[in-house]
Amino acid sequence: MSESTEKAETAEKAEKLDAADELAPKRAEFALDDVVYLDGNSLGALPAHVPGRVEDVVRRQWGELRIRSWDESGWWTAPERIGDRIAPLVGAAPGEIVVGDSTSVNVFKALVAAVRMAGEGRDEILVDATTFPTDGYIAESAARMTGCTLRPVTPAEVPGALGGRTAAVLLNHVDYRTGRLRDLPALTAAVRAAGAVAVWDLCHSAGALPVGLDEHGVDLAVGCTYKYLNGGPGSPAYLYVRRSRQDAFDSPLPGWNSHVDPFGMRTSYEPAAGALRGRVGTPDILSMLALEAALEVWDGVTIEAVRAKSLALTDFFLECVEAYVPDGSVESLTPAAHEERGSQVALRCPDAGEVMKRLIERGVVGDYRAPDVLRFGFTPLYVGFADTERAARVLGETLSR
């Protein structure tokens, strides 16, 4: 088969896959241009109706109702209301998620609370050695604060590293560099069997694949909302506390918003019931309500359908890379097995930064991680198969020069 014939057949296959895609209508709900946007694992695209909703929040709710909006516009209850909106996307029940603060702050709250939940005699924290750097920084600080030692281990090493001293284990559901999906059910079970508490970072999985927090017995989890949940730059993160562990959740950052009587202005602290005790200070209303509007694109969508398309997109991209990219130019770091793959494809490539710059100039937007990793994130709600084919074709042309 000639190269031109192979490309024509691949492009035709992309058209057929797009025609059969049940999620294709969702694309119209996003403000997209003619670029192929494969950086949703860093910042999701803008849902088209969000600007108008934010304008209403600014002009009417803030500009006209002003202080009345805390009650009349539902500002005060936004953290738990939006948490309930996120809950089905990560397999949680209503009342188990509260939205607010950054991922880093929530990691700190969860990790210190996990050590306190574990109880006396447990003075060691295990942290994913391949984690996003901030999680490692937070884990080090939490260890100092709680008098624990910190031991970095790879996720594969966790079961063998657990022991009677282990208090908490901080893990990433999907590796941010490679897109490798960790075995959350098995690792959670191992941590629980050892008497420790697992804290899961869901930043690269929520909104891209099923998580099953309640189903798999996860105690604590955190995640951001500006990647696959499309909440916008700096949109607030969330904290999950399993219902059966909420009474034991002792936050290291108690604030007036998490007080049982926030307007009582008492000098002594008494935490509110449920996930509300994960709140700290005044909610960041503008970005929070932008997130709430953005989450409406999930109406009528199941996370199972999203996962099926995600796997189909990443399969097709790897197929196109094999067809279009010169042999030996890239090496896939993302596992081929579906059960080990998130919703991104990471390719090792010499001079990755310059290659990505050239891709972006030609309308294919991904990103890279030093020193040599190209990252392509596939958000099933707005990425199509023709986008996928174009991205691989442009990559092949760029590397052929």
Side-chain angles (χ1 to χ4, degrees):
M1 182 187 299
S2 69
E3 181 179 344
S4 60
T5 300
E6 183 177 25
K7 288 183 178 181
E9 290 186 354
T10 303
E12 183 180 355
K13 181 177 180 179
E15 291 181 5
K16 291 180 179 179
L17 289 169
D18 274 334
D21 177 17
E22 66 180 86
L23 293 180
K26 279 293 170 181
R27 186 183 180 95
E29 297 184 31
F30 289 85
L32 299 169
D33 47 29
D34 63 351
V35 304
V36 177
Y37 190 67
L38 300 180
D39 209 7
N41 53 329
S42 287
L43 176 66
L46 172 68
H49 68 281
V50 169
R53 192 67 58 81
V54 172
E55 183 178 15
D56 177 71
V57 173
V58 172
R59 294 189 180 278
R60 183 182 65 84
Q61 297 181 29
W62 180 16
E64 297 175 14
L65 295 179
R66 291 177 284 276
I67 196 71
R68 292 161 51 195
S69 276
W70 284 105
D71 290 323
E72 295 180 25
S73 301
W75 288 3
W76 185 258
T77 58
E80 56 268 30
R81 183 178 71 244
I82 301 171
D84 286 349
R85 192 73 187 255
I86 293 172
L89 301 179
V90 293
E96 292 185 316
I97 292 179
V98 64
V99 173
D101 304 312
S102 67
T103 306
S104 299
V105 172
N106 284 325
V107 168
F108 179 75
K109 286 187 286 189
L111 196 53
V112 173
V115 173
R116 292 173 176 176
M117 285 178 178
E120 297 293 329
R122 293 182 176 268
D123 59 359
E124 181 181 68
I125 296 173
L126 303 183
V127 63
D128 183 347
T130 63
T131 189
F132 187 77
T134 293
D135 282 15
Y137 307 154
I138 295 294
E140 184 178 0
S141 179
R144 290 198 307 269
M145 179 178 178
T146 57
C148 289
T149 58
L150 182 67
R151 182 150 60 115
V153 295
T154 67
E157 294 170 334
V158 166
L162 293 165
R165 291 180 51 200
T166 309
V169 183
L170 176 59
L171 292 162
N172 285 263
H173 195 194
V174 173
D175 186 291
Y176 79 100
R177 284 192 185 90
T178 67
R180 179 179 291 275
L181 175 64
R182 307 300 183 186
D183 191 343
L184 181 146
L187 288 169
T188 299
V191 173
R192 287 175 65 89
V197 178
V199 178
W200 283 96
D201 183 329
L202 308 179
C203 285
H204 287 267
S205 58
L209 52 91
V211 178
L213 293 176
D214 284 351
E215 176 187 358
H216 301 305
V218 173
D219 289 319
L220 299 169
V222 303
C224 68
T225 61
Y226 49 79
K227 299 182 189 294
Y228 297 110
L229 297 181
N230 310 299
S235 57
Y238 57 91
L239 169 68
Y240 162 88
V241 184
R242 186 175 181 83
R243 189 175 305 281
S244 63
R245 304 306 300 269
Q246 289 176 354
D247 288 346
F249 183 82
D250 181 8
S251 174
L253 296 175
W256 77 285
N257 257 238
S258 62
H259 198 287
V260 67
D261 182 17
F263 293 97
M265 303 302 166
R266 302 180 193 172
T267 56
S268 59
Y269 179 74
E270 182 181 352
L276 282 177
R277 61 181 57 194
R279 293 174 64 157
V280 184
T282 305
D284 40 354
I285 291 299
L286 298 183
S287 59
M288 190 168 291
L289 296 188
L291 166 63
E292 183 173 35
L295 290 170
E296 291 177 8
V297 301
W298 288 92
D299 290 346
V301 176
T302 67
I303 197 66
E304 289 75 20
V306 167
R307 177 58 169 168
K309 184 177 176 183
S310 166
L311 291 172
L313 285 168
T314 49
D315 277 345
F316 186 55
F317 182 68
L318 290 169
E319 177 185 330
C320 291
V321 167
E322 184 175 354
Y324 292 164
V325 174
D327 291 344
S329 298
V330 298
E331 173 195 357
S332 178
L333 302 178
T334 302
H338 285 182
E339 64 272 18
E340 297 178 2
R341 187 194 309 166
S343 198
Q344 75 176 52
V345 173
L347 302 176
R348 176 170 285 139
C349 173
D351 204 14
E354 181 60 28
V355 170
M356 182 54 68
K357 179 180 177 181
R358 284 152 50 197
L359 289 175
I360 292 172
E361 289 172 350
R362 297 192 59 189
V364 175
V365 181
D367 68 6
Y368 86 100
R369 287 293 178 265
D372 59 359
V373 177
L374 300 171
R375 298 197 315 166
F376 301 93
F378 293 82
T379 304
L381 294 184
Y382 55 78
V383 174
F385 293 92
D387 297 324
T388 303
E389 186 272 340
R390 177 182 164 191
R393 175 164 37 86
V394 172
L395 175 61
E397 293 167 357
T398 299
L399 293 175
S400 295
R401 291 179 180 177

